[in-house]
Amino acid sequence: MLSSKDVSTKLQRIAELARQIREPLTSLSHHIDLDWIREAWRRTRKDGAVGVDGMTAQMYERELEANLRSMLDRAKSGRYRAPPVRRAYVDKEPGKKRPLGIPTLEDKVLQRAVLMALEAVYEQEFLPCSYGFRPQRSAHGALEDLWKGMMDMRGGWVLEVDIQSFFDNLVHERLRELLRRRVRDGVLLRLIDKWLNAGVLEEGRVRHPRTGTPQGGVISPLLANIYLHEVLDRWLLAEVAPTLSGPVHLYRYADDFVLLFRHEAEARRVQALLTERFAQYGLTLHPEKTRLLAFYPPPSGTGERAHVSFDFLGFTHHWGQSRKGRWIPQRRTSKKRFSRSLQAARAWCRAHRHAPVRDQHAALSAKLRGHYGYYGITGNGRSLRAFRNEVGRIWHKWLARRNNRPISWDAFNGMIALYPLPPIQVVHSTYRP
């Protein structure tokens, strides 16, 4: 994201300082001035849900300069008080919801300002195996590198890991210890402490959990990356990997990760070490969702079919045959994500069945393009086509119900000719630069 020239220069200076000085950095907050805060405001989403104070961006902008100056003064002097986050829930999967913590608008801006400074430092520390919530990195980068790793190794032992309620169980004191290894700026550490201790407002009561960082907070993903960088990434690749005879590859997106090994014995050993390591930092591997599997293609010429698969970042990874008959790792939309996306389309069509067809077409087209934007990867054409077809069937069903009169498929296909749904699109191609 572009920033003002002055702020961009300061960010480069912090990054260079972090590369040169390995001791903890003690003076970062002096870079955060009014220009920096203005840039943080510019980068903050203005249409998000409001926090406990009900403040909207339009309300805050009425006296923007005065509000930003006041916030900066309070942050620097230690008078800033972090309000509790407002608890909200979003659907995760059928029967389950994910808790979110929604900060106030001012908290979002100040968290963004601190995030900018810390990100410049930690981008010099984080390892290539980490893909989540980092500049110029994405889930598709993790998926592509995992595919290449499996191609190079022709399979291996995959350790599919699930951390139980990671964002709820992150230990505050442990996080403080890890932060102080790299940053000892009093202003920044004090603000992070306030956010960790701000509490959660739910049903009129404020709770103060001793662990966790709310999902939904601007700075929470970076704090999670700092935690897992030390607990997992650096430990595994710098301390454990050198003791193994075969390679180990780590692909992590936030708290979601898989490991790829050559040897079963070493995979089982690392799984045991992971359990011990995570326990030291208050984390637990989910006993049912964490599993080790032999991920190899069937022997050539046997006629066997590939049955083994695992899920990662919304895709099921499995072995399939190329057009030339060669076994290669392939990806398709996972059943859980496919069903969740269809459920959302079904709910939308039901709620908007009385809207003009033109408006329905525009909205469904946008939803399909968004679906292609994530799931449109090489080899996933069959799932994309099935999704598009199902959306068409759902649309037909709810159009027929809005006047309680059936619509023949011939009539519906005639309408589709006037309002065609977007064709499937491979947005992320393995073979296209």
Side-chain angles (χ1 to χ4, degrees):
M1 184 179 292
L2 296 176
S3 60
S4 70
K5 183 177 180 180
D6 181 56
V7 173
S8 180
T9 300
K10 289 179 181 180
L11 289 169
Q12 292 173 10
R13 193 176 303 150
I14 292 173
E16 185 61 32
L17 195 68
R19 283 192 292 268
Q20 293 177 355
I21 301 177
R22 304 314 304 161
E23 292 78 20
L25 302 175
T26 59
S27 183
L28 291 173
S29 58
H30 74 276
H31 293 288
I32 302 177
D33 55 14
L34 192 56
D35 282 341
W36 189 286
I37 293 293
R38 290 192 190 105
E39 179 62 21
W41 165 262
R42 190 183 72 82
R43 297 188 184 195
T44 300
R45 277 188 58 188
K46 312 299 190 298
D47 59 348
V50 298
V52 296
D53 62 354
M55 179 69 71
T56 65
Q58 292 76 18
M59 296 162 61
Y60 199 81
E61 280 183 307
R62 290 170 190 166
E63 297 185 33
L64 182 60
E65 283 296 302
N67 287 332
L68 295 180
R69 286 180 185 276
S70 172
M71 177 176 60
L72 179 61
D73 290 343
R74 284 178 282 130
K76 290 290 187 76
S77 66
R79 293 181 292 110
Y80 184 83
R81 298 184 64 181
V85 298
R86 181 172 66 84
R87 174 67 79 213
Y89 292 89
V90 296
D91 292 333
K92 183 178 180 182
E93 54 191 78
K96 293 186 178 181
K97 292 184 178 294
R98 171 181 285 118
L100 295 180
I102 302 174
T104 63
L105 177 66
E106 189 168 72
D107 232 18
K108 291 177 184 177
V109 177
L110 190 53
Q111 286 189 31
R112 178 67 61 185
V114 173
L115 168 71
M116 288 159 57
L118 291 181
E119 192 173 70
V121 174
Y122 280 98
E123 276 302 306
Q124 319 314 313
E125 306 291 318
F126 291 156
L127 301 177
C129 60
S130 168
Y131 297 85
F133 304 103
R134 294 182 56 191
Q136 311 303 318
R137 299 178 74 79
S138 68
H140 291 99
L143 291 165
E144 184 68 11
D145 286 351
L146 172 60
W147 183 83
K148 291 177 179 176
M150 292 187 296
M151 283 287 287
D152 291 343
M153 289 181 63
R154 297 298 299 153
W157 286 83
V158 172
L159 181 59
E160 184 183 4
V161 181
D162 183 272
I163 307 175
Q164 287 197 120
S165 303
F166 168 73
F167 283 91
D168 293 333
N169 293 319
L170 185 150
V171 180
H172 292 173
E173 192 51 46
R174 283 293 203 176
L175 175 60
R176 294 184 184 102
E177 291 174 9
L178 298 179
L179 281 167
R180 287 195 291 268
R181 293 181 186 179
R182 199 69 188 95
V183 175
R184 290 188 186 169
D185 184 291
V187 171
L188 300 189
L189 294 181
R190 184 167 60 237
L191 285 170
I192 292 173
D193 269 349
K194 290 181 178 182
W195 289 319
L196 291 176
N197 296 323
V200 178
L201 176 66
E202 185 173 13
E203 297 181 347
R205 291 183 55 206
V206 177
R207 295 185 302 103
H208 294 274
R210 295 185 179 181
T211 61
T213 178
Q215 295 187 67
V218 173
I219 204 167
S220 293
L222 176 63
L223 296 181
N225 270 339
I226 292 171
Y227 206 78
L228 287 176
H229 168 73
E230 289 291 342
V231 176
L232 175 63
D233 304 355
R234 191 201 58 77
W235 167 79
L236 178 73
L237 299 181
E239 298 181 28
V240 177
T243 70
L244 305 178
S245 62
V248 54
H249 300 286
L250 168 63
Y251 307 92
R252 180 174 70 80
Y253 188 91
D255 62 325
D256 196 0
F257 67 95
V258 295
L259 295 163
L260 180 60
F261 299 86
R262 173 71 71 198
H263 305 299
E264 178 185 5
E266 294 187 336
R268 295 191 181 279
R269 177 190 162 207
V270 171
Q271 183 174 3
L273 290 174
L274 270 177
T275 301
E276 297 174 4
R277 174 73 173 178
F278 277 25
Q280 296 172 14
Y281 290 85
L283 303 176
T284 306
L285 301 187
H286 197 293
E288 297 174 0
K289 296 181 180 180
T290 298
R291 63 189 185 119
L292 180 65
L293 63 150
F295 190 72
Y296 288 99
S300 300
T302 62
E304 291 185 29
R305 297 182 62 185
H307 298 288
V308 65
S309 65
F310 66 94
D311 286 356
F312 182 56
L313 297 181
F315 291 89
T316 296
H317 301 256
H318 62 101
W319 289 98
Q321 288 183 296
S322 68
R323 293 179 180 178
K324 296 182 179 180
R326 181 187 178 205
W327 287 103
I328 59 172
Q330 295 182 342
R331 291 84 52 93
R332 62 175 180 266
T333 308
S334 72
K335 290 182 179 179
K336 185 184 296 185
R337 294 288 188 91
F338 190 91
S339 297
R340 189 192 306 175
S341 297
L342 280 183
Q343 185 179 18
R346 192 174 293 113
W348 190 94
C349 286
R350 179 181 181 181
H352 297 85
R353 62 186 182 274
H354 296 296
V357 171
R358 183 187 301 275
D359 294 347
Q360 291 188 44
H361 170 258
L364 288 175
S365 295
K367 291 179 183 298
L368 280 170
R369 284 190 289 268
H371 188 85
Y372 303 157
Y374 186 79
Y375 295 102
I377 67 173
T378 298
N380 196 34
R382 182 177 296 179
S383 291
L384 295 179
R385 193 171 295 107
F387 184 78
R388 182 181 183 274
N389 291 341
E390 285 298 317
V391 169
R393 292 190 183 96
I394 291 168
W395 194 19
H396 170 262
K397 172 184 174 179
W398 287 105
L399 281 175
R401 290 193 177 188
R402 68 177 185 170
N403 294 318
N404 293 319
R405 289 185 304 181
I407 297 177
S408 69
W409 278 104
D410 286 342
F412 180 72
N413 289 333
M415 188 199 75
I416 285 290
L418 296 175
Y419 298 100
L421 293 174
I424 66 170
Q425 182 181 6
V426 176
V427 178
H428 307 278
S429 173
T430 299
Y431 308 107
R432 186 175 62 236

